[in-house]
Amino acid sequence: MRRMNWMKQKGWAFLLSIFLPIGIMCFVYALLGIYPGSEKTILASDALSQTSNFFASLNNTLHGKQSFFYSWHGSLGLNYWSFMAYYLNGIFSPLIYFFDNSQVPDALYLIILLKFGAIGGTFWIMSDQTFKVPQWVKLMLSISYALSGFAVAYSPQQMWLDGLIYLPLVILGIHRLMDKKRPAVLFISYLLLFLSNFYMAFMIGVFSFLYVICRFLIDPAKYKKSLLPYLTTSLLAGGASMVTILPTLLDLKNNGESLTKIQDFFTKGTDIWDLPAKTMVGVYDTSKFGSSPFLYFGLLGLIFCLFYFVSPKFPLKNKLIYGSLFLLLIASVYIEPLNLFWHGFHSPNMFLFRFSFLFSFLGLLLAGFGLEKVTREDTNRLVNIVLGLILLYLAIIFLANRKRYDFLDKTTIATTVILLLVYLSIWLVSHKWQQKMTIWWVLLFLVFLGEITFNTQRMVTGINAEWHYPDRVAFDRDYQDVQQLVATTKEENSTLYRLANLNSISRNESFLYGYSGVSMFSSIRNRHSSMYLNELGFRSNGTNLTIQYANNTLVMDALLGIKYNISENDPKKYGYELKETAGKHKLYENRLALPLGILTDQGIYKKDAVKNQSELIAYLSNQKEPLFYFSEAEMIKEENVQIEDQGSVLFYSKTVPNKLRKLTYSIDVPAHSQAYLSLYGRGMEVEAITKVNGIEQRSGLEENGQYYNLGYYEKAEKIEVEVSFTGEGVVHLVKPTAMFMNVEVFEDSIRTIQKQGVSFETKGRTAEANVNLAKEQVVLTTIPYDKGWSAYIDGKKVEIPTFKDAFLALPVPKGAHTIKFVFLPQGFKIGFSLLISCLILFIFFNWWLTKEDRKT
């Protein structure tokens, strides 16, 4: 009976707060042709290159194919525990278990819909226990939050949406603790928040602390005794979350980017009209650089948020305190140090002002307080608010920089003004015909749903125009064929090997198929290994967000154990032989790949040793004969290009727009040589297209390495290489040269090193090998070094000297020994101990607080 009464009184609103956001998103996606099984997918922006592949790796993990602590599939190897803390720890992520990796787009479609529903549901839960307003009002506030401008516009980064789920519960927990001395909701909400995504948790943690201070300042006498319980609950929740947070912080400390230097006081690219413009309906400018914050949270929410500040029904003290919190958020948009603070002093790479969802939440929270007190007598104030908003929006048209605000079209402005007038009219008319109040409620709700749906549709259309929702073929075009070839490699190898797909769709493809490669694009990465790999020829510039396999030499294929290449065309690499074909893809096996470990000596640890690949292979093989030599690449033809010689750098500009620049080089290749063309330079979004003997290859000029493979030549031959450059900008190049590798010297070197090879069996988070040494030697591996690794020789733990902070290298004494590397994220043991102890302490604390409250 109680359940039936609850459903009649509240349950319907709770269910609608979940299902209406889901329904609206389904409808809007369907307008673009996105639905379960559709050709078009929701994998816009990084969702295609990152999220889809990362969820596929989680699926592999949940099915026992890799460890939760370490992944051999993230480039050469990766701390997977910290990786999940940013990308994969969402509450709905485990649902990927029920999908095949070929169905990841459909899984992500389901998960993102559930997140929008959960955001609405948690806001309703908070509203139901916070606001004394009708259920229809709570429902509208919940939908406004779930489909706020930030939530929809930044939905391609769906790992951030979990923070929006927990924020209302955190605020509800604060209310329950401060008003009723019940800390459980706050503890659980904080704990789940911290575990789901440490990045959003930081922003919400700061905001919620400031909110507690605001409540305390409003009534110090009432709330002074709640500060200590709040701090205790927060610290215990934070301590319990250290099982994830501590290893992640230590990983970021060791491998993360440096903090952004504050160079300006005011944030560049902002304007005074940014905030009011982005509270209008259907405003999408960009989520790339130059954007303004997404602040929209519904016109009704905006009206009653402003009503809170203009109504005399609320104490001036309260307005000043909550207003100061609003001012802080506004100032954080325009003042660069505050902006950086919310982002952990790390400047965001596009998707700017990631804290702006706090503005929308605070606006709706104060709107809820305003709606509690609004009555018929407040009509004049509401009229003034609506007219004031209309005048403000019209002022933007006449006073704002038209070039900057070209995204404000007539439809947006007209829709916003008309909706404001409609809402005001419904308010005025409903008080004259109060006997038909139900009709007015229904009309108001339908208009509100129309507004929210229109705004959501405009946001999604903006995402599609800017990032594009790709067709399914962009994700699974070659899935079955590549999966078949990867499966073949796994069947034939019991020890770790590495693989590269020369025609991969994504830099993170290795996560999807579960093979160890080189390429990766991730905010969580091993920077030290990537920096050294960059010195060895794999392009990984700047903060090492990406590392690319393309355009390196056979030397690094051998040293890193690249045993296989998958390619549509013959890679023309010496030592590679065709193994199997699946569809248009072919598997080539490298007979000169080295195992995971190589025996060497202590000289490898010297500071200036082996700075590049030539020095490394020469040191390991003790080969004195030069491996590489260079000659001029003679340019014999040019088309649509103007070349300006600036000494060491050449500038290539176009003579005719929208047409490729083409250059043809003549190169004399010696016998028994692997030939390369060195193209080292830069050009914004420029691809270099090389064509040799009818085979064409495309490569990002700045993204990939500099050595463009021209093929292996058994006999001396004169070849012509056609190079084309895409894009409209000027291309800067160091004068191109031809580079040749003597394959006979190369093979002799590799055969020598193979005799010193150490094969490791890798399983989960361990790598194990057996050696029998005639003298003390160093086992150099290509396992990325991380402080989470522990080394054991014959079961006894030993120290690991660092090799350039890049790879694991272990001195091993003379004799027969078993070497074992075991990975456990640094700080995990302490974090797990804190989890258990803080849970126990909180249970005791909650019992004690309840006991004291009963006594009182």
Side-chain angles (χ1 to χ4, degrees):
M1 182 63 71
R2 291 181 62 186
R3 290 181 180 178
M4 291 296 295
N5 290 336
W6 184 85
M7 283 299 299
K8 289 180 181 179
Q9 296 173 11
K10 299 181 177 182
W12 63 270
F14 173 61
L15 293 176
L16 286 177
S17 71
I18 296 172
F19 288 111
L20 280 176
I22 291 176
I24 291 172
M25 289 304 301
C26 283
F27 172 72
V28 170
Y29 281 142
L31 292 178
L32 284 177
I34 302 173
Y35 48 84
S38 63
E39 271 304 303
K40 193 174 285 290
T41 69
I42 63 162
L43 304 181
S45 181
D46 291 342
L48 177 62
S49 61
Q50 289 188 317
T51 311
S52 59
N53 292 292
F54 297 163
F55 268 80
S57 76
L58 177 63
N59 195 15
N60 294 334
T61 305
L62 292 171
H63 283 89
K65 297 179 182 179
Q66 73 169 44
S67 168
F68 282 96
F69 293 122
Y70 196 79
S71 171
W72 297 99
H73 309 145
S75 193
L76 304 183
L78 184 69
N79 181 338
Y80 198 67
W81 190 255
S82 298
F83 179 83
M84 290 195 301
Y86 183 61
Y87 287 109
L88 298 169
N89 278 359
I91 190 171
F92 297 112
S93 295
L95 291 175
I96 192 68
Y97 179 89
F98 301 101
F99 293 82
D100 182 78
N101 277 353
S102 63
Q103 302 170 311
V104 165
D106 296 317
L108 292 180
Y109 174 80
L110 172 63
I111 290 171
I112 199 170
L113 291 179
L114 291 174
K115 287 187 178 183
F116 277 112
I119 294 170
T122 57
F123 196 93
W124 181 89
I125 292 171
M126 184 204 73
S127 300
D128 189 55
Q129 298 190 40
T130 305
F131 307 131
K132 297 178 181 178
V133 294
Q135 289 298 332
W136 286 106
V137 174
K138 297 174 185 176
L139 179 57
M140 287 190 285
L141 291 174
S142 302
I143 297 171
S144 298
Y145 178 64
L147 300 179
S148 61
F150 177 94
V152 181
Y154 284 7
S155 58
Q157 307 289 349
Q158 64 165 272
M159 67 275 191
W160 295 342
L161 295 181
D162 288 87
L164 277 69
I165 295 173
Y166 295 115
L167 174 56
L169 299 180
V170 168
I171 299 303
L172 173 61
I174 288 171
H175 284 201
R176 289 174 63 85
L177 175 60
M178 298 183 77
D179 296 333
K180 301 179 180 180
K181 296 183 180 180
R182 296 179 182 176
V185 171
L186 180 61
F187 177 83
I188 295 170
S189 302
Y190 263 152
L191 179 58
L192 292 176
L193 169 67
F194 296 152
L195 293 176
S196 67
N197 187 283
F198 68 89
Y199 186 66
M200 300 299 282
F202 170 75
M203 300 179 196
I204 294 173
V206 172
F207 176 80
S208 58
F209 174 77
L210 294 174
Y211 183 73
V212 169
I213 298 302
C214 288
R215 293 200 88 208
F216 166 73
L217 292 176
I218 286 172
D219 195 343
K222 179 180 179 181
Y223 292 128
K224 65 181 179 180
K225 290 184 178 180
S226 63
L227 292 182
L228 185 58
Y230 167 76
L231 292 174
T232 302
T233 303
S234 303
L235 289 173
L236 289 174
S241 69
M242 284 297 113
V243 67
T244 293
I245 298 296
L246 183 59
T248 304
L249 290 177
L250 291 173
D251 185 69
L252 290 173
K253 177 179 177 292
N254 296 328
N255 294 300
E257 300 176 32
S258 58
L259 300 180
T260 302
K261 293 182 180 179
I262 299 174
Q263 297 179 334
D264 300 286
F265 182 76
F266 293 108
T267 306
K268 291 181 179 179
T270 54
D271 191 278
I272 191 172
W273 299 103
D274 286 356
L275 300 191
K278 293 298 278 287
T279 59
M280 297 170 71
V281 182
V283 180
Y284 185 99
D285 52 350
T286 176
S287 56
K288 296 182 179 180
F289 294 111
S291 72
S292 50
F294 285 89
L295 306 177
Y296 171 84
F297 54 95
L299 292 178
L300 285 176
L302 179 61
I303 291 169
F304 287 100
C305 174
L306 294 174
F307 173 75
Y308 178 88
F309 288 102
V310 301
S311 172
K313 296 179 179 180
F314 301 96
L316 177 61
K317 180 181 179 181
N318 294 24
K319 297 176 185 177
L320 291 174
I321 290 172
Y322 285 127
S324 65
L325 187 52
F326 250 131
L327 288 175
L328 175 64
L329 294 174
I330 293 171
S332 298
V333 172
Y334 296 105
I335 298 176
E336 182 66 7
L338 289 175
N339 185 8
L340 286 175
F341 168 76
W342 288 105
H343 297 98
F345 287 102
H346 173 244
S347 183
N349 183 22
M350 295 189 281
F351 295 96
L352 309 181
F353 309 108
R354 298 173 186 181
F355 59 89
S356 57
F357 69 97
L358 299 171
F359 185 100
S360 303
F361 176 83
L362 183 59
L364 288 168
L365 186 68
L366 297 183
F369 294 145
L371 283 160
E372 286 183 324
K373 297 292 183 69
V374 68
T375 60
R376 185 177 181 180
E377 288 72 27
D378 296 305
T379 297
N380 287 337
R381 288 189 177 83
L382 294 177
V383 170
N384 291 336
I385 289 171
V386 171
L387 294 179
L389 285 172
I390 292 173
L391 290 174
L392 176 63
Y393 294 147
L394 293 177
I396 296 175
I397 301 174
F398 296 104
L399 301 179
N401 184 326
R402 292 187 180 182
K403 186 176 181 181
R404 174 174 174 79
Y405 295 98
D406 58 355
F407 53 85
L408 293 177
D409 56 23
K410 294 179 180 178
T411 303
T412 291
I413 297 167
T415 302
T416 303
V417 172
I418 291 171
L419 282 169
L420 285 170
L421 293 175
V422 168
Y423 286 135
L424 182 59
S425 300
I426 292 174
W427 172 269
L428 295 173
V429 173
S430 66
H431 284 292
K432 287 189 177 182
W433 286 281
Q434 293 188 26
Q435 64 275 19
K436 297 182 178 180
M437 189 59 71
T438 302
I439 295 176
W440 301 123
W441 270 116
V442 172
L443 179 61
L444 175 67
F445 191 71
L446 291 176
V447 173
F448 165 78
L449 285 182
E451 176 202 334
I452 294 295
T453 303
F454 174 76
N455 182 77
T456 304
Q457 186 270 333
R458 295 278 293 214
M459 294 292 105
V460 171
T461 302
I463 295 170
N464 188 46
E466 184 170 35
W467 295 105
H468 305 294
Y469 288 100
D471 290 340
R472 186 176 296 266
V473 69
F475 173 79
D476 65 2
R477 179 178 65 207
D478 308 314
Y479 181 83
Q480 296 299 332
D481 294 342
V482 175
Q483 180 69 11
Q484 177 184 327
L485 296 178
V486 171
T488 297
T489 67
K490 292 181 178 180
E491 291 170 1
E492 297 187 355
N493 292 272
S494 59
T495 57
L496 183 76
Y497 63 96
R498 295 193 172 104
L499 181 151
N501 183 357
L502 304 187
N503 304 111
S504 63
I505 296 174
S506 165
R507 288 168 289 194
N508 292 311
E509 185 192 81
S510 59
F511 286 98
L512 172 63
Y513 296 106
Y515 64 78
S516 181
V518 174
S519 297
M520 188 173 73
F521 166 38
S522 171
S523 295
I524 306 297
R525 67 276 191 204
N526 190 315
R527 287 195 66 200
H528 294 293
S529 66
S530 293
M531 284 189 284
Y532 184 54
L533 288 173
N534 183 61
E535 295 177 16
L536 297 179
F538 296 105
R539 185 64 56 85
S540 183
N541 288 333
T543 59
N544 309 105
L545 274 173
T546 65
I547 182 167
Q548 300 281 56
Y549 169 79
N551 300 346
N552 209 326
T553 72
L554 287 174
V555 171
M556 292 314 301
D557 276 15
L559 292 175
L560 290 188
I562 305 292
K563 192 173 181 180
Y564 300 98
N565 273 184
I566 293 175
S567 178
E568 295 179 15
N569 301 310
D570 187 343
K572 302 294 184 182
K573 291 182 176 182
Y574 180 75
Y576 278 82
E577 298 173 355
L578 180 62
K579 181 77 175 176
E580 187 178 333
T581 300
K584 62 182 179 179
H585 286 80
K586 301 176 179 65
L587 178 69
Y588 293 86
E589 184 172 3
N590 179 14
R591 60 183 171 82
L592 297 176
L594 293 168
L596 195 60
I598 301 166
L599 293 174
T600 183
D601 56 37
Q602 293 279 354
I604 205 78
Y605 291 116
K606 291 181 180 178
K607 183 178 180 181
D608 296 325
V610 294
K611 297 186 295 293
N612 55 54
Q613 58 177 271
S614 299
E615 292 182 9
L616 181 56
I617 192 172
Y619 187 91
L620 295 173
S621 64
N622 199 28
Q623 177 65 254
K624 304 301 182 185
E625 193 172 343
L627 182 61
F628 294 106
Y629 47 97
F630 298 83
S631 72
E632 181 182 359
E634 181 186 359
M635 187 170 65
I636 59 175
K637 185 180 177 182
E638 59 185 74
E639 180 183 341
N640 188 37
V641 63
Q642 179 179 329
I643 304 174
E644 183 181 348
D645 193 337
Q646 295 286 346
S648 60
V649 179
L650 301 176
F651 293 77
Y652 298 79
S653 54
K654 288 187 173 185
T655 56
V656 180
N658 301 317
K659 186 179 178 182
L660 290 177
R661 286 158 283 193
K662 293 184 179 180
L663 305 115
T664 303
Y665 296 94
S666 177
I667 299 174
D668 291 312
V669 183
H672 309 296
S673 294
Q674 184 77 35
Y676 301 92
L677 179 66
S678 175
L679 296 178
Y680 184 76
R682 57 191 177 87
M684 291 296 292
E685 298 182 0
V686 170
E687 275 193 322
I689 306 170
T690 57
K691 184 183 289 186
V692 185
N693 298 324
I695 298 177
E696 183 178 287
Q697 297 181 42
R698 304 176 73 96
S699 181
L701 183 62
E702 292 188 20
E703 295 175 353
N704 297 321
Q706 74 181 86
Y707 298 113
Y708 291 70
N709 181 32
L710 305 180
Y712 167 66
Y713 296 86
E714 185 68 27
K715 298 179 180 179
E717 187 176 336
K718 181 184 284 290
I719 64 171
E720 288 189 1
V721 183
E722 182 184 276
V723 180
S724 305
F725 296 108
T726 65
E728 295 299 311
V730 176
V731 174
H732 305 182
L733 280 182
V734 175
K735 187 176 181 180
T737 58
M739 184 179 80
F740 312 106
M741 185 178 74
N742 187 322
V743 297
E744 293 178 345
V745 175
F746 169 67
E747 181 153 6
D748 287 343
S749 300
I750 297 303
R751 294 301 183 194
T752 300
I753 300 173
Q754 282 179 334
K755 295 175 183 177
Q756 304 297 318
V758 179
S759 296
F760 278 81
E761 290 189 8
T762 56
K763 184 178 181 181
R765 59 190 180 96
T766 65
E768 187 171 348
N770 294 306
V771 295
N772 194 347
L773 307 181
K775 60 179 180 179
E776 180 180 341
Q777 288 185 279
V778 173
V779 177
L780 172 66
T781 77
T782 51
I783 301 172
Y785 174 78
D786 187 289
K787 291 186 177 180
W789 283 109
S790 297
Y792 299 85
I793 297 178
D794 300 328
K796 183 180 179 181
K797 189 173 182 180
V798 294
E799 294 295 321
I800 307 175
T802 61
F803 171 69
K804 298 183 180 297
D805 290 329
F807 295 141
L808 293 180
L810 187 67
V812 181
K814 174 183 176 181
H817 302 286
T818 298
I819 303 168
K820 188 174 185 178
F821 294 108
V822 180
F823 184 83
L824 189 68
Q826 185 186 14
F828 177 80
K829 289 182 179 179
I830 296 174
F832 186 76
S833 299
L834 285 170
L835 170 65
I836 301 302
S837 57
C838 287
L839 284 174
I840 294 171
L841 286 173
F842 176 74
I843 292 171
F844 174 76
F845 173 70
N846 187 44
W847 169 81
W848 177 81
L849 202 62
T850 304
K851 180 182 176 182
E852 291 298 308
D853 185 47
R854 286 173 180 171
K855 286 182 180 179
T856 305

